[in-house]
Amino acid sequence: MARLCGFLEMKLATLKSDSRDGSLAVVNRDLTRAKTVPGIVPTLQDALDDWAGVEPQLLRVYRALNAGDCEAIPFDPCRAAAPLPRAYQWLDGSAYLSHVERVRKARGADLPKSLLDDPLMYQGASDVMLGPCDPVEVASESWGIDFEAEVGVITDDVEYGISIDKAAAHIKLVLLINDVSLRHLIPGELAKGFGFLHGKPASAFSPVAVTPDELGAAWQDSRLHLPLTVHWNGHLFGEANAGSDMQFNFARLIAHAAKSRKLTAGTIIGSGTVSNYDLTTGYSCIVEKRVVEIIETGAAATEFMRFGDRIRIEMQDRQGQSIFGAIEQEVRPCR
Amino acid sequence: MARLCGFLEMKLATLKSDSRDGSLAVVNRDLTRAKTVPGIVPTLQDALDDWAGVEPQLLRVYRALNAGDCEAIPFDPCRAAAPLPRAYQWLDGSAYLSHVERVRKARGADLPKSLLDDPLMYQGASDVMLGPCDPVEVASESWGIDFEAEVGVITDDVEYGISIDKAAAHIKLVLLINDVSLRHLIPGELAKGFGFLHGKPASAFSPVAVTPDELGAAWQDSRLHLPLTVHWNGHLFGEANAGSDMQFNFARLIAHAAKSRKLTAGTIIGSGTVSNYDLTTGYSCIVEKRVVEIIETGAAATEFMRFGDRIRIEMQDRQGQSIFGAIEQEVRPCR
């Protein structure tokens, strides 16, 4: 294996194919060209299973792509699956406490006493992961359809009981997530005491996942310090900074997840809905806006999503280049 | 594809190998001989991804194995991995209400109002599934180490919002589960409202998974009507009948799981701890025994598991033949 020099910058996607797991592709920095790499490793899960073994070869392809030195196909984000179309684990934290405070207020639930020093995290469904342009299919508008714009990381194998100090090195990729939420199903099922089942259906993921080094100075202390822009039906709805007000960074979330077990390569860990105390940055989910409306005026003016609504979630670097491509979904009735 | 005649009886195991997903093997009815089938399909997940395509060939191997008509290797349950060593989804129900009532009493939690007509179910960790003889590794005895003996099913692809009537046909395999539970971690985390994370570490699975037809008359109405025997350190601890007092059958649990989403092939759904109202059948987990002791004498006499303790979970057919092989694990300190 060749020695790795310099920064480990890279963008990866999974292109839809006849296979359930799609085809791993390296994507150039501008998100215009892609190259599948069957000769190196066929899928992203396979790559994560042997990250140290394949990373150098994938990095070489990325550098060649950016230099225009290799053949490639045009990259169409809407032909991308989720980077992991089915994953072995999806754990979603709730690291932005302004989100926790507002959402719990919305459903009249108490704040956990340990809010400031013990991360909230739930085990989500990972057997179906939506691609960035896949529709959000829901049986009924009456379920209270909401989006949650988040940042997430994908790990390699993490040892049982890992320390926070060691956890950051297991972050192999960073990506964006739409953690679809069915607000009217949640209070009833959380009251049963076993967490989310119906209220958190399949989540959607950005077209591209990138290495932490690809984020440059925006990745600091296991946090991503850039605004996450959310457009709902074409209107800007939020641009909260994902680096602000994140009480628990990703290293902390990984260590929390691994307290009593190992984590297998390909584990996806979410930040929870990105949210700032500064209300001028808007919202990354509808329910927070509704709570603020109730506080300010006595009633929620904003309704949840309707069939035909569109949600767009994206993050640009300081030069205005889309880092991950956009999650851009339409809400549809389930057939 | 040849037409399938008669009953679809079969036993399958996953043998440990250099691969994370092991090697699929067909095992004979007596659990003495096994044959890997790389020429048909390499892993159980691959088989579930294309069940209709591979089932006829696997059935032929099973029949030949039972007739002594093909070469095979001795079957050693302790060389078996979990049938799915890593799975895309593990959902655990809580279908035996005597278990729910006793466990909630133990932690002073209210019973859900919807107990009788709305199944309890949580999303469990599926990225690490223990083989039948793998140790239960825990960082500290003080976490309250307990077993939970359960029956489970593995499905193929299940459509969004499936009806109970149609759900039974998606049960492809049946198996046994030890849903390891860390009792002293559970009350605190459930109080946070997001379900289990630390309190339910990796579960263990029987050496063999079998088709419903293999269970003959013991499989009725999506329930398994046989006693599940539990030995703790060599002493009989429980022999509750898995067909009695199961409020929600597996078809109902599948339909419940799929209310707001599809389920991908390889989804494992557990019954929850098998438990009978008749106390003479004993217990399938320690915490239930402790609750009954507290009710009867004012104090729990039975402690949770210690390092070095052994748990054995098995089910025999009416002729005394072990159906799934035994889960037989030792509790050890995590290295």
Side-chain angles (χ1 to χ4, degrees):
Chain A
M1 192 192 338
R3 188 161 162 275
L4 299 173
C5 301
F7 292 110
L8 309 181
E9 300 170 0
M10 188 158 55
K11 298 193 177 192
L12 298 174
T14 293
L15 303 184
K16 292 185 178 184
S17 74
D18 291 341
S19 155
R20 289 171 183 256
D21 298 306
S23 299
L24 179 63
V26 183
V27 180
N28 68 343
R29 180 160 293 146
D30 298 343
L31 304 178
T32 55
R33 302 195 314 142
K35 186 175 174 58
T36 58
V37 285
I40 300 172
V41 62
T43 72
L44 181 56
Q45 182 63 52
D46 291 329
L48 290 158
D49 286 350
D50 179 29
W51 191 255
V54 302
E55 189 184 30
Q57 298 171 76
L58 296 175
L59 288 168
R60 274 195 287 277
V61 173
Y62 185 64
R63 289 166 192 173
L65 262 179
N66 285 328
D69 283 350
C70 70
E71 287 188 19
I73 57 173
F75 178 60
D76 175 359
C78 285
R79 291 192 50 214
L84 291 171
R86 47 182 184 175
Y88 295 108
Q89 182 155 247
W90 155 230
L91 292 166
D92 199 9
S94 202
Y96 298 87
L97 301 188
S98 50
H99 172 75
V100 178
E101 292 172 13
R102 291 172 196 151
V103 170
R104 299 233 168 182
K105 198 169 284 180
R107 55 169 203 267
D110 293 335
L111 284 171
K113 294 189 186 72
S114 54
L115 190 67
L116 292 174
D117 48 31
D118 182 26
L120 278 166
M121 183 175 282
Y122 72 89
Q123 181 84 42
S126 59
D127 64 317
V128 176
M129 302 307 224
L130 301 179
C133 302
D134 290 346
V136 176
E137 295 182 322
V138 182
S140 172
E141 287 178 331
S142 71
W143 286 353
I145 306 163
D146 200 356
F147 48 82
E148 291 195 340
E150 308 193 358
V151 177
V153 300
I154 307 180
T155 73
D156 61 358
D157 292 307
V158 175
E159 69 213 54
Y160 190 116
I162 195 166
S163 66
I164 298 170
D165 285 352
K166 288 183 180 170
H170 293 281
I171 299 170
K172 296 304 162 192
L173 294 167
V174 183
L175 76 180
L176 304 183
I177 304 170
N178 178 13
D179 177 36
V180 178
S181 298
L182 302 173
R183 296 294 172 199
H184 298 326
L185 301 186
I186 289 175
E189 76 179 4
L190 291 193
K192 292 162 67 183
F194 274 17
F196 300 102
L197 183 70
H198 298 145
K200 296 281 189 179
S203 299
F205 294 81
S206 53
V208 157
V210 313
T211 54
D213 276 4
E214 178 68 37
L215 299 164
W219 184 256
Q220 292 287 343
D221 189 31
S222 294
R223 290 179 179 88
L224 179 44
H225 296 265
L226 285 170
L228 182 61
T229 59
V230 178
H231 286 83
W232 179 15
N233 291 333
H235 303 290
L236 182 66
F237 191 74
E239 47 186 343
N241 193 304
S244 303
D245 304 323
M246 189 187 191
Q247 178 76 4
F248 309 107
N249 68 8
F250 282 108
R252 180 82 182 270
L253 294 177
I254 292 168
H256 182 76
K259 174 178 169 170
S260 64
R261 66 189 200 227
K262 295 186 284 188
L263 310 177
T264 287
T267 290
I268 305 171
I269 297 191
S271 65
T273 308
V274 174
S275 176
N276 294 162
Y277 281 103
D278 174 4
L279 290 175
T280 65
T281 65
Y283 307 95
S284 304
C285 66
I286 298 172
V287 73
E288 281 193 51
K289 185 165 198 291
R290 287 169 56 88
V291 170
V292 172
E293 289 168 347
I294 290 169
I295 293 168
E296 291 181 348
T297 72
T302 308
E303 300 298 321
F304 290 114
M305 298 182 94
R306 309 299 295 264
F307 294 142
D309 277 11
R310 297 187 67 82
I311 177 69
R312 182 183 169 97
I313 298 168
E314 196 169 17
M315 184 178 273
Q316 296 176 330
D317 66 19
R318 294 193 174 99
Q319 288 72 48
Q321 165 67 44
S322 178
I323 298 173
F324 305 95
I327 295 173
E328 186 151 22
Q329 300 182 276
E330 183 178 314
V331 178
R332 291 188 198 159
C334 189
R335 295 138 308 171
Chain B
M1 192 192 337
R3 189 164 161 274
L4 299 173
C5 301
F7 292 110
L8 309 180
E9 301 171 359
M10 187 158 57
K11 297 193 176 192
L12 298 174
T14 294
L15 303 183
K16 291 185 177 184
S17 74
D18 292 341
S19 156
R20 288 173 183 254
D21 297 305
S23 299
L24 178 63
V26 183
V27 180
N28 68 343
R29 180 160 292 146
D30 298 344
L31 304 178
T32 55
R33 301 195 315 143
K35 185 173 174 59
T36 57
V37 286
I40 301 173
V41 61
T43 71
L44 181 56
Q45 182 64 51
D46 291 329
L48 290 159
D49 286 350
D50 179 28
W51 190 256
V54 302
E55 189 184 29
Q57 300 171 74
L58 296 175
L59 287 168
R60 276 196 286 278
V61 173
Y62 185 62
R63 288 166 192 174
L65 262 179
N66 284 329
D69 283 349
C70 72
E71 287 189 16
I73 57 172
F75 178 60
D76 176 359
C78 284
R79 290 191 50 214
L84 291 170
R86 49 183 182 173
Y88 294 108
Q89 182 155 249
W90 154 231
L91 291 165
D92 200 9
S94 202
Y96 299 87
L97 301 188
S98 51
H99 173 75
V100 178
E101 292 172 13
R102 291 172 195 152
V103 169
R104 297 234 169 179
K105 199 169 282 179
R107 53 168 204 268
D110 294 334
L111 284 171
K113 294 189 187 73
S114 54
L115 190 66
L116 293 174
D117 48 29
D118 183 27
L120 279 166
M121 183 175 281
Y122 71 89
Q123 181 85 43
S126 60
D127 64 317
V128 176
M129 302 305 223
L130 301 179
C133 303
D134 290 346
V136 175
E137 295 182 322
V138 183
S140 171
E141 287 178 331
S142 70
W143 286 354
I145 306 163
D146 200 355
F147 46 84
E148 291 195 342
E150 309 192 0
V151 176
V153 300
I154 306 180
T155 73
D156 61 358
D157 291 308
V158 176
E159 69 214 52
Y160 190 114
I162 196 167
S163 66
I164 297 170
D165 285 351
K166 288 183 180 169
H170 292 282
I171 299 171
K172 297 303 161 191
L173 294 167
V174 183
L175 75 181
L176 304 183
I177 303 170
N178 178 14
D179 178 36
V180 177
S181 299
L182 302 173
R183 297 293 173 200
H184 298 326
L185 300 186
I186 289 175
E189 74 180 4
L190 291 193
K192 292 161 68 182
F194 273 17
F196 300 103
L197 183 71
H198 299 144
K200 297 280 189 178
S203 300
F205 293 81
S206 53
V208 157
V210 312
T211 55
D213 277 3
E214 177 69 35
L215 299 164
W219 183 256
Q220 293 287 344
D221 189 32
S222 296
R223 290 180 177 86
L224 180 44
H225 296 266
L226 285 171
L228 183 61
T229 59
V230 178
H231 287 84
W232 180 14
N233 291 334
H235 303 289
L236 182 66
F237 191 73
E239 47 187 344
N241 193 304
S244 304
D245 304 323
M246 189 187 192
Q247 177 76 4
F248 309 107
N249 69 8
F250 282 108
R252 180 82 183 268
L253 294 177
I254 291 168
H256 182 78
K259 173 178 171 171
S260 64
R261 65 190 200 224
K262 295 185 284 187
L263 310 178
T264 287
T267 290
I268 305 171
I269 296 192
S271 65
T273 309
V274 174
S275 175
N276 295 161
Y277 281 103
D278 175 4
L279 290 174
T280 65
T281 64
Y283 306 94
S284 304
C285 67
I286 298 171
V287 72
E288 281 193 50
K289 186 167 198 290
R290 287 170 54 88
V291 171
V292 172
E293 288 169 348
I294 290 169
I295 293 168
E296 291 180 349
T297 72
T302 308
E303 300 297 321
F304 290 113
M305 299 182 92
R306 309 297 296 263
F307 294 142
D309 277 12
R310 296 186 69 81
I311 177 69
R312 182 183 170 96
I313 298 168
E314 197 170 17
M315 182 178 274
Q316 295 176 333
D317 65 19
R318 294 192 174 100
Q319 288 72 47
Q321 165 68 43
S322 179
I323 299 173
F324 305 95
I327 295 172
E328 186 151 24
Q329 300 181 276
E330 183 177 313
V331 179
R332 292 188 197 159
C334 189
R335 294 140 304 173

mmCIF file of all heavy atoms in Angstrom, chain B residues 172-205:
data_model
loop_
_atom_site.group_PDB
_atom_site.id
_atom_site.type_symbol
_atom_site.label_atom_id
_atom_site.label_comp_id
_atom_site.label_asym_id
_atom_site.label_seq_id
_atom_site.Cartn_x
_atom_site.Cartn_y
_atom_site.Cartn_z
ATOM 1 N N LYS B 172 -40.128 -15.937 6.484
ATOM 2 C CA LYS B 172 -39.348 -16.928 5.757
ATOM 3 C C LYS B 172 -38.626 -17.883 6.703
ATOM 4 O O LYS B 172 -38.419 -19.045 6.364
ATOM 5 C CB LYS B 172 -38.334 -16.230 4.833
ATOM 6 C CG LYS B 172 -38.998 -15.391 3.747
ATOM 7 C CD LYS B 172 -39.947 -16.232 2.899
ATOM 8 C CE LYS B 172 -40.935 -15.381 2.138
ATOM 9 N NZ LYS B 172 -42.013 -16.196 1.534
ATOM 10 N N LEU B 173 -38.213 -17.374 7.838
ATOM 11 C CA LEU B 173 -37.447 -18.200 8.774
ATOM 12 C C LEU B 173 -37.853 -17.878 10.211
ATOM 13 O O LEU B 173 -38.307 -16.767 10.509
ATOM 14 C CB LEU B 173 -35.941 -17.947 8.598
ATOM 15 C CG LEU B 173 -35.338 -18.376 7.250
ATOM 16 C CD1 LEU B 173 -33.943 -17.793 7.081
ATOM 17 C CD2 LEU B 173 -35.304 -19.906 7.133
ATOM 18 N N VAL B 174 -37.657 -18.860 11.078
ATOM 19 C CA VAL B 174 -37.943 -18.717 12.507
ATOM 20 C C VAL B 174 -36.669 -19.109 13.254
ATOM 21 O O VAL B 174 -35.935 -20.011 12.820
ATOM 22 C CB VAL B 174 -39.114 -19.638 12.917
ATOM 23 C CG1 VAL B 174 -39.477 -19.444 14.384
ATOM 24 C CG2 VAL B 174 -40.333 -19.402 12.018
ATOM 25 N N LEU B 175 -36.391 -18.429 14.366
ATOM 26 C CA LEU B 175 -35.176 -18.735 15.126
ATOM 27 C C LEU B 175 -35.344 -18.320 16.582
ATOM 28 O O LEU B 175 -36.388 -17.778 16.964
ATOM 29 C CB LEU B 175 -33.951 -18.067 14.481
ATOM 30 C CG LEU B 175 -33.718 -16.555 14.624
ATOM 31 C CD1 LEU B 175 -32.446 -16.160 13.875
ATOM 32 C CD2 LEU B 175 -34.879 -15.723 14.146
ATOM 33 N N LEU B 176 -34.356 -18.606 17.408
ATOM 34 C CA LEU B 176 -34.378 -18.216 18.827
ATOM 35 C C LEU B 176 -33.400 -17.075 19.067
ATOM 36 O O LEU B 176 -32.401 -16.940 18.359
ATOM 37 C CB LEU B 176 -33.997 -19.404 19.725
ATOM 38 C CG LEU B 176 -34.828 -20.674 19.576
ATOM 39 C CD1 LEU B 176 -34.349 -21.724 20.590
ATOM 40 C CD2 LEU B 176 -36.322 -20.392 19.754
ATOM 41 N N ILE B 177 -33.699 -16.294 20.092
ATOM 42 C CA ILE B 177 -32.912 -15.082 20.370
ATOM 43 C C ILE B 177 -32.661 -14.957 21.866
ATOM 44 O O ILE B 177 -33.548 -15.236 22.679
ATOM 45 C CB ILE B 177 -33.684 -13.830 19.883
ATOM 46 C CG1 ILE B 177 -34.012 -13.933 18.392
ATOM 47 C CG2 ILE B 177 -32.893 -12.553 20.172
ATOM 48 C CD1 ILE B 177 -34.973 -12.869 17.894
ATOM 49 N N ASN B 178 -31.450 -14.548 22.224
ATOM 50 C CA ASN B 178 -31.186 -14.047 23.574
ATOM 51 C C ASN B 178 -31.004 -12.538 23.481
ATOM 52 O O ASN B 178 -29.960 -12.057 23.041
ATOM 53 C CB ASN B 178 -29.934 -14.704 24.169
ATOM 54 C CG ASN B 178 -29.620 -14.138 25.555
ATOM 55 O OD1 ASN B 178 -30.451 -13.472 26.176
ATOM 56 N ND2 ASN B 178 -28.410 -14.405 26.042
ATOM 57 N N ASP B 179 -32.023 -11.824 23.881
ATOM 58 C CA ASP B 179 -32.002 -10.358 23.842
ATOM 59 C C ASP B 179 -31.368 -9.870 25.144
ATOM 60 O O ASP B 179 -32.052 -9.584 26.119
ATOM 61 C CB ASP B 179 -33.441 -9.859 23.696
ATOM 62 C CG ASP B 179 -33.543 -8.342 23.691
ATOM 63 O OD1 ASP B 179 -32.639 -7.695 23.146
ATOM 64 O OD2 ASP B 179 -34.526 -7.822 24.247
ATOM 65 N N VAL B 180 -30.042 -9.807 25.130
ATOM 66 C CA VAL B 180 -29.293 -9.436 26.336
ATOM 67 C C VAL B 180 -29.745 -8.055 26.814
ATOM 68 O O VAL B 180 -29.890 -7.130 26.012
ATOM 69 C CB VAL B 180 -27.779 -9.427 26.039
ATOM 70 C CG1 VAL B 180 -26.989 -8.975 27.257
ATOM 71 C CG2 VAL B 180 -27.323 -10.808 25.557
ATOM 72 N N SER B 181 -29.959 -7.926 28.107
ATOM 73 C CA SER B 181 -30.482 -6.672 28.655
ATOM 74 C C SER B 181 -29.664 -6.250 29.871
ATOM 75 O O SER B 181 -29.296 -7.082 30.699
ATOM 76 C CB SER B 181 -31.953 -6.854 29.064
ATOM 77 O OG SER B 181 -32.738 -7.198 27.931
ATOM 78 N N LEU B 182 -29.374 -4.969 29.934
ATOM 79 C CA LEU B 182 -28.606 -4.418 31.063
ATOM 80 C C LEU B 182 -29.582 -3.617 31.919
ATOM 81 O O LEU B 182 -29.830 -2.436 31.684
ATOM 82 C CB LEU B 182 -27.453 -3.571 30.525
ATOM 83 C CG LEU B 182 -26.506 -4.352 29.593
ATOM 84 C CD1 LEU B 182 -25.477 -3.425 28.950
ATOM 85 C CD2 LEU B 182 -25.813 -5.495 30.330
ATOM 86 N N ARG B 183 -30.144 -4.306 32.912
ATOM 87 C CA ARG B 183 -31.321 -3.775 33.621
ATOM 88 C C ARG B 183 -31.085 -2.435 34.307
ATOM 89 O O ARG B 183 -31.988 -1.609 34.369
ATOM 90 C CB ARG B 183 -31.799 -4.786 34.663
ATOM 91 C CG ARG B 183 -32.270 -6.100 34.102
ATOM 92 C CD ARG B 183 -33.535 -5.978 33.281
ATOM 93 N NE ARG B 183 -33.850 -7.248 32.635
ATOM 94 C CZ ARG B 183 -34.647 -7.372 31.585
ATOM 95 N NH1 ARG B 183 -35.213 -6.306 31.039
ATOM 96 N NH2 ARG B 183 -34.869 -8.547 31.060
ATOM 97 N N HIS B 184 -29.884 -2.249 34.849
ATOM 98 C CA HIS B 184 -29.668 -1.013 35.617
ATOM 99 C C HIS B 184 -29.416 0.194 34.710
ATOM 100 O O HIS B 184 -29.426 1.334 35.175
ATOM 101 C CB HIS B 184 -28.529 -1.196 36.615
ATOM 102 C CG HIS B 184 -28.813 -2.276 37.631
ATOM 103 N ND1 HIS B 184 -30.075 -2.529 38.106
ATOM 104 C CD2 HIS B 184 -27.997 -3.173 38.239
ATOM 105 C CE1 HIS B 184 -30.038 -3.535 38.968
ATOM 106 N NE2 HIS B 184 -28.789 -3.944 39.057
ATOM 107 N N LEU B 185 -29.186 -0.051 33.426
ATOM 108 C CA LEU B 185 -29.032 1.071 32.498
ATOM 109 C C LEU B 185 -30.366 1.492 31.883
ATOM 110 O O LEU B 185 -30.477 2.570 31.304
ATOM 111 C CB LEU B 185 -28.060 0.698 31.363
ATOM 112 C CG LEU B 185 -26.637 0.308 31.771
ATOM 113 C CD1 LEU B 185 -25.776 0.110 30.515
ATOM 114 C CD2 LEU B 185 -26.002 1.363 32.674
ATOM 115 N N ILE B 186 -31.359 0.623 31.985
ATOM 116 C CA ILE B 186 -32.610 0.854 31.252
ATOM 117 C C ILE B 186 -33.490 1.966 31.836
ATOM 118 O O ILE B 186 -33.954 2.839 31.089
ATOM 119 C CB ILE B 186 -33.383 -0.477 31.085
ATOM 120 C CG1 ILE B 186 -32.642 -1.368 30.065
ATOM 121 C CG2 ILE B 186 -34.828 -0.237 30.653
ATOM 122 C CD1 ILE B 186 -33.225 -2.761 29.885
ATOM 123 N N PRO B 187 -33.745 1.983 33.136
ATOM 124 C CA PRO B 187 -34.682 3.019 33.625
ATOM 125 C C PRO B 187 -34.228 4.427 33.268
ATOM 126 O O PRO B 187 -35.027 5.256 32.805
ATOM 127 C CB PRO B 187 -34.690 2.788 35.143
ATOM 128 C CG PRO B 187 -34.303 1.351 35.312
ATOM 129 C CD PRO B 187 -33.307 1.084 34.218
ATOM 130 N N GLY B 188 -32.945 4.716 33.435
ATOM 131 C CA GLY B 188 -32.451 6.056 33.125
ATOM 132 C C GLY B 188 -32.610 6.413 31.667
ATOM 133 O O GLY B 188 -33.041 7.514 31.319
ATOM 134 N N GLU B 189 -32.306 5.464 30.801
ATOM 135 C CA GLU B 189 -32.381 5.843 29.393
ATOM 136 C C GLU B 189 -33.818 5.878 28.883
ATOM 137 O O GLU B 189 -34.152 6.721 28.056
ATOM 138 C CB GLU B 189 -31.465 5.011 28.507
ATOM 139 C CG GLU B 189 -31.861 3.614 28.209
ATOM 140 C CD GLU B 189 -30.797 2.953 27.300
ATOM 141 O OE1 GLU B 189 -29.769 3.571 27.002
ATOM 142 O OE2 GLU B 189 -31.012 1.797 26.923
ATOM 143 N N LEU B 190 -34.671 5.014 29.394
ATOM 144 C CA LEU B 190 -36.068 5.105 28.969
ATOM 145 C C LEU B 190 -36.702 6.402 29.469
ATOM 146 O O LEU B 190 -37.567 6.977 28.810
ATOM 147 C CB LEU B 190 -36.874 3.891 29.433
ATOM 148 C CG LEU B 190 -36.525 2.558 28.756
ATOM 149 C CD1 LEU B 190 -37.587 1.509 29.051
ATOM 150 C CD2 LEU B 190 -36.332 2.683 27.244
ATOM 151 N N ALA B 191 -36.244 6.877 30.611
ATOM 152 C CA ALA B 191 -36.778 8.143 31.127
ATOM 153 C C ALA B 191 -36.465 9.309 30.196
ATOM 154 O O ALA B 191 -37.173 10.319 30.185
ATOM 155 C CB ALA B 191 -36.217 8.424 32.515
ATOM 156 N N LYS B 192 -35.416 9.171 29.396
ATOM 157 C CA LYS B 192 -35.070 10.226 28.441
ATOM 158 C C LYS B 192 -36.023 10.243 27.250
ATOM 159 O O LYS B 192 -36.035 11.198 26.476
ATOM 160 C CB LYS B 192 -33.620 10.052 27.970
ATOM 161 C CG LYS B 192 -32.593 10.320 29.071
ATOM 162 C CD LYS B 192 -31.246 9.718 28.741
ATOM 163 C CE LYS B 192 -30.560 10.408 27.573
ATOM 164 N NZ LYS B 192 -29.271 9.764 27.235
ATOM 165 N N GLY B 193 -36.774 9.151 27.052
ATOM 166 C CA GLY B 193 -37.877 9.176 26.090
ATOM 167 C C GLY B 193 -37.584 8.663 24.695
ATOM 168 O O GLY B 193 -38.472 8.632 23.855
ATOM 169 N N PHE B 194 -36.334 8.246 24.435
ATOM 170 C CA PHE B 194 -35.972 7.853 23.064
ATOM 171 C C PHE B 194 -35.760 6.351 22.918
ATOM 172 O O PHE B 194 -35.204 5.892 21.922
ATOM 173 C CB PHE B 194 -34.699 8.591 22.632
ATOM 174 C CG PHE B 194 -34.960 9.957 22.034
ATOM 175 C CD1 PHE B 194 -36.175 10.607 22.213
ATOM 176 C CD2 PHE B 194 -33.982 10.590 21.277
ATOM 177 C CE1 PHE B 194 -36.407 11.857 21.657
ATOM 178 C CE2 PHE B 194 -34.213 11.842 20.720
ATOM 179 C CZ PHE B 194 -35.422 12.471 20.906
ATOM 180 N N GLY B 195 -36.156 5.552 23.906
ATOM 181 C CA GLY B 195 -36.034 4.101 23.789
ATOM 182 C C GLY B 195 -34.680 3.592 24.257
ATOM 183 O O GLY B 195 -33.928 4.287 24.930
ATOM 184 N N PHE B 196 -34.386 2.348 23.871
ATOM 185 C CA PHE B 196 -33.184 1.653 24.345
ATOM 186 C C PHE B 196 -31.961 2.023 23.517
ATOM 187 O O PHE B 196 -32.022 2.066 22.289
ATOM 188 C CB PHE B 196 -33.358 0.142 24.224
ATOM 189 C CG PHE B 196 -34.499 -0.413 25.016
ATOM 190 C CD1 PHE B 196 -35.684 -0.772 24.404
ATOM 191 C CD2 PHE B 196 -34.391 -0.599 26.388
ATOM 192 C CE1 PHE B 196 -36.746 -1.307 25.123
ATOM 193 C CE2 PHE B 196 -35.447 -1.126 27.120
ATOM 194 C CZ PHE B 196 -36.630 -1.483 26.492
ATOM 195 N N LEU B 197 -30.851 2.245 24.172
ATOM 196 C CA LEU B 197 -29.594 2.388 23.441
ATOM 197 C C LEU B 197 -28.516 1.582 24.174
ATOM 198 O O LEU B 197 -28.001 0.611 23.666
ATOM 199 C CB LEU B 197 -29.200 3.859 23.310
ATOM 200 C CG LEU B 197 -27.939 4.091 22.499
ATOM 201 C CD1 LEU B 197 -28.173 3.825 21.023
ATOM 202 C CD2 LEU B 197 -27.429 5.514 22.674
ATOM 203 N N HIS B 198 -28.232 1.961 25.415
ATOM 204 C CA HIS B 198 -27.205 1.243 26.177
ATOM 205 C C HIS B 198 -27.739 -0.034 26.821
ATOM 206 O O HIS B 198 -26.978 -0.959 27.074
ATOM 207 C CB HIS B 198 -26.653 2.151 27.282
ATOM 208 C CG HIS B 198 -26.001 3.387 26.748
ATOM 209 N ND1 HIS B 198 -26.077 4.594 27.386
ATOM 210 C CD2 HIS B 198 -25.282 3.606 25.620
ATOM 211 C CE1 HIS B 198 -25.407 5.505 26.690
ATOM 212 N NE2 HIS B 198 -24.932 4.929 25.612
ATOM 213 N N GLY B 199 -29.016 -0.066 27.108
ATOM 214 C CA GLY B 199 -29.588 -1.171 27.882
ATOM 215 C C GLY B 199 -29.808 -2.443 27.085
ATOM 216 O O GLY B 199 -30.069 -3.497 27.667
ATOM 217 N N LYS B 200 -29.736 -2.328 25.762
ATOM 218 C CA LYS B 200 -29.936 -3.500 24.898
ATOM 219 C C LYS B 200 -28.731 -3.631 23.976
ATOM 220 O O LYS B 200 -28.762 -3.168 22.824
ATOM 221 C CB LYS B 200 -31.224 -3.348 24.078
ATOM 222 C CG LYS B 200 -32.502 -3.283 24.909
ATOM 223 C CD LYS B 200 -32.956 -4.661 25.355
ATOM 224 C CE LYS B 200 -34.337 -4.608 25.990
ATOM 225 N NZ LYS B 200 -34.809 -5.957 26.389
ATOM 226 N N PRO B 201 -27.638 -4.229 24.475
ATOM 227 C CA PRO B 201 -26.461 -4.414 23.612
ATOM 228 C C PRO B 201 -26.708 -5.575 22.646
ATOM 229 O O PRO B 201 -27.849 -5.989 22.452
ATOM 230 C CB PRO B 201 -25.366 -4.730 24.629
ATOM 231 C CG PRO B 201 -26.081 -5.406 25.747
ATOM 232 C CD PRO B 201 -27.457 -4.779 25.802
ATOM 233 N N ALA B 202 -25.652 -6.100 22.038
ATOM 234 C CA ALA B 202 -25.806 -7.125 20.995
ATOM 235 C C ALA B 202 -26.595 -8.335 21.488
ATOM 236 O O ALA B 202 -26.356 -8.847 22.578
ATOM 237 C CB ALA B 202 -24.426 -7.559 20.498
ATOM 238 N N SER B 203 -27.544 -8.786 20.678
ATOM 239 C CA SER B 203 -28.323 -9.991 20.946
ATOM 240 C C SER B 203 -27.615 -11.205 20.339
ATOM 241 O O SER B 203 -26.789 -11.077 19.447
ATOM 242 C CB SER B 203 -29.715 -9.869 20.317
ATOM 243 O OG SER B 203 -30.404 -8.762 20.864
ATOM 244 N N ALA B 204 -28.003 -12.400 20.836
ATOM 245 C CA ALA B 204 -27.447 -13.648 20.298
ATOM 246 C C ALA B 204 -28.558 -14.483 19.670
ATOM 247 O O ALA B 204 -29.722 -14.359 20.056
ATOM 248 C CB ALA B 204 -26.759 -14.436 21.398
ATOM 249 N N PHE B 205 -28.187 -15.331 18.734
ATOM 250 C CA PHE B 205 -29.168 -16.068 17.937
ATOM 251 C C PHE B 205 -28.838 -17.557 17.908
ATOM 252 O O PHE B 205 -27.678 -17.954 18.063
ATOM 253 C CB PHE B 205 -29.192 -15.496 16.515
ATOM 254 C CG PHE B 205 -29.723 -14.088 16.493
ATOM 255 C CD1 PHE B 205 -28.902 -13.010 16.821
ATOM 256 C CD2 PHE B 205 -31.055 -13.837 16.213
ATOM 257 C CE1 PHE B 205 -29.394 -11.714 16.846
ATOM 258 C CE2 PHE B 205 -31.555 -12.546 16.234
ATOM 259 C CZ PHE B 205 -30.729 -11.484 16.557
#
